[in-house]
């Protein structure tokens, strides 16, 4: 079966998915501000080009190589492209300043490849171990396991853990919009047929993450051009060999990455810093960590990629994403109509093995791509970090609204953007919303089965008692903020009061509207609304006594221009609205007006390819058509 899965990966309908995923993932890792999470969001529409398995392979291949290429800018330019790449920059950029940047890049490639391949092999080997465990679990255990995953993510949220619980509950509440699959009850649709299928994942999640990240990038103070560097191929190969002189550090970091990846809520940043600290404590080399030690590059890069193999175990086999990136991946699977969970251990085990081979093949394909591209890539002066913001905003609007057919799609996108900006300015976590939104149907389905089949006796099952005890421990941690973590300045604290108050009010409105639902249809909305209200009010009481922290900033001019883009797209069409937005935001990426025609032509071709060529949406006319033209 394993060999058959590998053979199927080289078929004509899966190999192009792997190649496209590797190419786009390589680019997403290089570009500051994109990375794995936003790269996945922007690529979701492209997954529709393939069948369900092909689309999943494309997304997995993309995410598998993001961290490998993500080491380029931290080493060559000292600019981490994401939080998980920050540890690589400590020693990598010091090596670059010492004239050893090529060796550091080669070492990062070896460590990333080894970590990624071993992580995938562990995922493959986990199937026979996980199968009997999952086979013994019923709906009650899956219910508590789902709640434990949400609680873990909330407890590990920055600043206020209780705020993470409130945002997760809001995500679960949002997932109940539409027709209840078990009772056919319309919930929170307000009589609109457009909401019967629920909220659009790309529109809501794209607005929630991409918009605030890009507006923050555009509003950042540091906008210096990055220094050029040189990476010669022989020296990169020497660095690849040098990494294997630290094989024990590489293996330990790989194990750390896999273990942390399996834990729901523990992101790659945690794995990276644990691996870096472990390697630093065991360092016996002449060069201290932080001053240009090759082992300081090997450890975080091995853990970074190995974590993805570990994270696939709960995501694929249990349907429980362990991070926001895995939640986006799970949302992409749902969009493709691909069911993950226990069936991946039985009837769909060959598909799961195909996913494991995808990670391995993607990491191997990245090696020649890295060696071929990087020596030429790093010769050029880097982009200003702000320059990418305008283009990423146009890309996410194209992805979210390219298939829109009515006014509700732009409204969902705008609502997701408003929520994301509000949470960002309030200093509240956004990842728990995504996990709640993706896991909401699983929580509700398990809850309904537990009540109908097992009843109150479900609480006495051994698995429920064990998992329930772990859940109580995690919930106990939510009662207080993390020690030593600052919360907000006076301004963002006031914003937090407003946002949390609005969330509590939304919960009250949801309870009132759920009053006319059928008995079984109202349980999940009311339960999530009650948790939302309680956690929001509890957080309001807690943050009044917390120490200050730097206030987040965003670009107000870019925000206003983007608001005009979202408002104009349904009226004018994507292309005219995007051209107007780029003209308004020109100063962030173009120094001369002579560059603008080439920029506008390139963006126009991209939108034609995306909307008319790839997504297959025909030209539409009418007030609320959001094709290329009105």
């Amino acid at each position: 079966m394993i060999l058959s899965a590998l053979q199927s990966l080289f078929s004509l309908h899966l190999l192009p998915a792997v190649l496209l995923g590797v190419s786009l993932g390589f680019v997403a890792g290089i570009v500051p501000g994109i990375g794995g999470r936003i790269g996945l969001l922007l690529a979701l529409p492209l997954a529709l080009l393939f069948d369900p398995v092909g689309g999943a392979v494309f997304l997995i291949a993309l995410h598998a190589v993001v961290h490998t290429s993500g080491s380029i800018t931290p080493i060559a330019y000292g600019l981490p492209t994401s939080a998980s790449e920050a540890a690589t920059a400590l020693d990598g950029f010091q090596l670059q300043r010492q004239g050893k940047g090529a060796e550091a890049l080669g070492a990062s490639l070896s460590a990333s490849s080894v970590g990624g391949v071993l992580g995938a092999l562990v995922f493959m080997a986990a199937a026979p171990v996980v199968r009997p465990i999952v086979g013994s679990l019923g709906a009650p255990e899956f219910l508590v396991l789902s709640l434990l995953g949400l609680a873990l993510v909330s407890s590990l949220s920055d600043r206020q853990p209780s705020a993470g619980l409130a945002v997760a509950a809001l995500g679960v509440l949002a997932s109940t919009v539409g027709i209840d699959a078990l009772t056919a009850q319309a919930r929170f649709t307000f009589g609109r047929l457009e909401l019967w299928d629920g909220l659009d994942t790309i529109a809501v999640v794209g607005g929630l993450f991409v918009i605030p990240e890009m507006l923050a990038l555009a509003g950042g103070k540091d906008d210096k051009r990055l220094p050029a560097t040189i990476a010669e191929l022989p020296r990169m190969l020497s660095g690849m060999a040098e990494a294997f002189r630290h094989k024990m550090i590489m293996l330990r970091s790989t194990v750390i990455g896999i273990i942390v990846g399996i834990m729901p809520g523990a992101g790659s940043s945690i794995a990276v810093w644990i691996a870096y600290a472990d390697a630093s404590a065991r360092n016996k080399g002449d060069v201290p960590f932080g001053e240009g030690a090759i082992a300081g590059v090997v450890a975080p890069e091995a853990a970074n990629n190995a974590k993805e193999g570990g994270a696939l175990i709960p995501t694929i086999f249990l349907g429980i994403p362990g991070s926001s990136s895995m939640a986006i991946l799970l949302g992409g699977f749902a969009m493709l109509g691909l069911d993950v969970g226990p069936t991946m251990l039985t009837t769909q085990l060959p598909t799961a093995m195909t996913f494991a081979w995808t990670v391995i093949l993607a990491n191997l394909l990245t090696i020649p791509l890295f060696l071929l591209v990087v020596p030429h890539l790093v010769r050029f002066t880097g982009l200003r970090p702000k320059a990418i913001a305008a283009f990423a905003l146009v890309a996410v609007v194209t992805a979210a609204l390219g298939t829109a057919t009515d006014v509700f799609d732009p409204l969902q996108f705008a609502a997701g953007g408003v929520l994301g900006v509000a949470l960002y300015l309030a200093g509240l976590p956004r990842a728990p919303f995504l996990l709640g939104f993706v896991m909401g149907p699983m929580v509700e389905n398990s809850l309904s089965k537990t009540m109908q089949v097992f009843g109150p006796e479900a609480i006495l099952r051994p698995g429920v008692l064990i998992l329930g005890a772990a859940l109580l421990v995690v919930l106990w941690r939510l009662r207080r903020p993390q020690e030593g973590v600052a919360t907000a300045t006076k301004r963002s604290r006031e914003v937090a009061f407003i946002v949390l108050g609005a969330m509590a009010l939304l919960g009250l409105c949801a309870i009132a509207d759920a009053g006319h639902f059928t008995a079984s249809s109202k349980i999940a909305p009311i339960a999530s609304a009650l948790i939302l209200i309680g956690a929001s009010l509890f957080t309001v009481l807690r943050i009044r006594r917390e120490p200050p922290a730097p206030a987040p900033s965003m670009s107000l001019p870019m925000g206003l221009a983007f608001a005009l883009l979202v408002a104009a797209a349904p009226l004018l069409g994507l292309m005219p609205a995007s051209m107007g937005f780029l003209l308004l935001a020109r100063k962030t990426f173009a120094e001369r007006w002579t560059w603008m025609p080439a920029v506008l032509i390139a963006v126009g071709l991209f939108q034609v390819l995306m909307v008319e060529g790839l997504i297959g949406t025909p030209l539409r006319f009418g007030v609320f058509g959001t094709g290329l033209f009105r």
Side-chain angles (χ1 to χ4, degrees):
M1 180 191 62
I2 293 176
L3 294 178
S4 176
L6 175 60
Q7 184 178 3
S8 68
L9 198 59
F10 287 92
S11 63
L12 292 178
H13 77 287
L14 289 185
L15 187 58
V18 175
L19 296 176
L20 181 61
V22 168
S23 301
L24 295 183
F26 195 88
V27 174
I30 294 173
V31 178
I34 300 298
R37 187 174 61 189
I38 295 179
L40 279 174
L41 284 169
L42 296 178
L44 283 178
L46 297 179
L48 297 173
L49 290 172
F50 307 96
D51 61 21
V53 175
V57 164
F58 162 71
L59 295 175
I60 291 174
L62 184 152
H63 194 257
V65 304
V66 163
H67 294 306
T68 303
S69 61
S71 65
I72 296 173
T73 51
I75 294 173
Y77 307 128
L79 177 69
T81 55
S82 65
S84 60
E85 311 292 350
T88 303
L90 293 180
D91 289 274
F93 190 56
Q94 288 295 327
L95 286 165
Q96 204 286 106
R97 295 177 64 181
Q98 297 168 17
K100 300 179 181 178
E103 287 83 351
L105 288 167
S108 73
L109 177 59
S110 289
S112 297
S113 302
V114 170
V117 170
L118 292 181
L121 291 176
V122 169
F123 168 76
M124 192 180 294
V129 178
V130 175
R131 180 186 290 185
I133 297 176
V134 173
S136 64
L137 302 180
E141 287 81 9
F142 273 105
L143 172 62
V144 182
L145 192 60
S146 301
L147 296 177
L148 179 61
L150 290 173
L152 278 170
V153 174
S154 302
S155 68
L156 292 172
S157 299
D158 293 339
R159 305 179 178 96
Q160 285 288 343
S162 58
L165 181 62
V167 176
L170 181 62
V172 174
L173 182 62
S175 72
T176 63
V177 174
I179 298 295
D180 184 0
L182 297 177
T183 65
Q185 168 76 58
R187 299 181 298 188
F188 308 122
T189 59
F190 309 106
R192 302 294 305 188
L193 295 177
E194 297 88 348
L195 293 177
W196 277 24
D197 291 331
L199 300 178
D200 182 75
T201 302
I202 299 178
V204 174
V205 178
L208 183 72
F209 282 98
V210 182
I211 293 177
E213 294 288 349
M214 292 302 106
L215 293 182
L217 187 64
K221 296 180 180 180
D222 185 11
D223 195 33
K224 298 179 180 179
R225 287 191 177 275
L226 304 174
T229 187
I230 297 176
E232 298 174 349
L233 182 58
R235 293 171 56 198
M236 290 176 63
L237 295 174
S238 174
M240 292 182 67
E242 176 72 17
F244 287 97
R245 298 178 184 174
H246 306 278
K247 53 182 177 294
M248 293 308 300
I249 287 179
M250 190 186 301
L251 291 176
R252 280 198 305 269
S253 300
T254 297
V255 173
I256 291 171
I258 293 170
I259 293 174
V260 173
I262 295 174
M263 299 168 55
S268 58
S269 298
I270 297 175
V272 163
W273 287 108
I274 292 177
Y276 187 86
D278 174 76
S280 177
R282 300 171 184 270
N283 180 40
K284 298 180 180 180
D286 298 331
V287 182
F289 271 48
E291 297 182 16
I294 284 287
V297 174
V298 171
E301 286 304 309
N304 224 348
N305 274 35
K307 177 259 176 187
E308 302 307 328
L312 283 176
I313 294 175
T315 303
I316 300 298
F317 293 147
L318 300 177
I320 299 176
S323 64
S324 57
S325 296
M326 287 294 114
I328 295 172
L329 194 63
L330 203 58
F333 292 164
M335 178 188 71
L336 293 165
L338 185 68
D339 291 329
V340 296
T343 57
M344 283 288 173
L345 291 166
T346 54
T347 58
Q348 299 188 58
L349 187 56
T351 302
M353 295 300 101
T354 300
F355 294 162
W357 282 117
T358 298
V359 177
I360 294 174
L361 181 59
N363 277 278
L364 295 179
L365 287 175
T366 308
I367 296 175
L369 181 63
F370 192 102
L371 295 175
L372 179 65
V373 172
V374 171
H376 304 286
L377 178 69
V378 298
R379 294 178 183 273
F380 297 96
T381 302
L383 287 172
R384 290 177 296 161
K386 291 183 180 181
I388 194 62
F391 299 106
L393 289 172
V394 170
V396 75
V397 168
T398 304
L401 304 184
T403 57
T405 57
D406 57 73
V407 70
F408 267 81
D409 293 306
L411 287 178
Q412 290 183 54
F413 180 66
V418 170
L419 176 62
V421 169
L423 293 175
Y424 182 89
L425 293 178
L428 302 177
R430 287 166 288 149
F433 178 93
L434 177 58
L435 269 71
F437 184 70
V438 172
M439 293 177 60
M442 179 180 176
V443 172
E444 184 173 12
N445 186 45
S446 300
L447 177 61
S448 299
K449 290 182 179 179
T450 299
M451 296 181 62
Q452 295 175 11
V453 178
F454 298 92
E457 291 80 8
I459 197 173
L460 300 178
R461 291 167 63 91
V464 172
L465 292 175
I466 296 173
L467 294 172
L471 177 61
L472 291 176
V473 171
V474 175
L475 291 176
W476 180 252
R477 292 181 58 188
L478 298 180
R479 66 186 180 89
R480 64 180 184 272
Q482 298 179 15
E483 296 182 2
V485 179
T487 301
T489 61
K490 180 179 179 181
R491 188 189 71 181
S492 57
R493 186 173 296 165
E494 292 172 350
V495 176
F497 290 156
I498 297 173
V499 173
L500 291 167
M503 289 166 58
L505 181 60
L506 180 62
L508 289 173
C509 295
I511 292 175
D513 191 58
H516 70 277
F517 297 167
T518 59
S520 59
S521 296
K522 68 172 63 175
I523 296 176
I526 291 180
S528 56
L530 288 174
I531 296 174
L532 171 62
I533 295 170
S536 297
L537 296 180
F538 181 80
T539 306
V540 168
L541 296 177
R542 295 295 306 182
I543 64 177
R544 295 178 61 187
R545 300 188 292 271
E546 293 307 308
S553 61
M554 288 186 174
S555 171
L556 181 59
M558 179 71 81
L560 294 175
F562 183 71
L564 290 175
L565 167 60
V566 177
L571 299 174
L572 304 177
L574 280 174
M575 187 176 292
S578 300
M579 299 305 159
F581 168 74
L582 291 174
L583 290 173
L584 289 175
R586 180 189 65 85
K587 290 184 178 180
T588 63
F589 59 86
E591 297 180 350
R592 296 193 296 255
W593 275 103
T594 53
W595 295 0
M596 286 306 297
V599 170
L600 297 179
I601 291 173
V603 171
L605 291 175
F606 163 77
Q607 291 187 320
V608 169
L609 180 65
M610 280 285 294
V611 178
E612 310 301 336
L614 298 182
I615 299 177
T617 303
L619 290 173
R620 289 191 299 270
F621 296 88
V623 176
F624 295 119
T626 52
L628 289 179
F629 301 99
R630 185 174 64 87

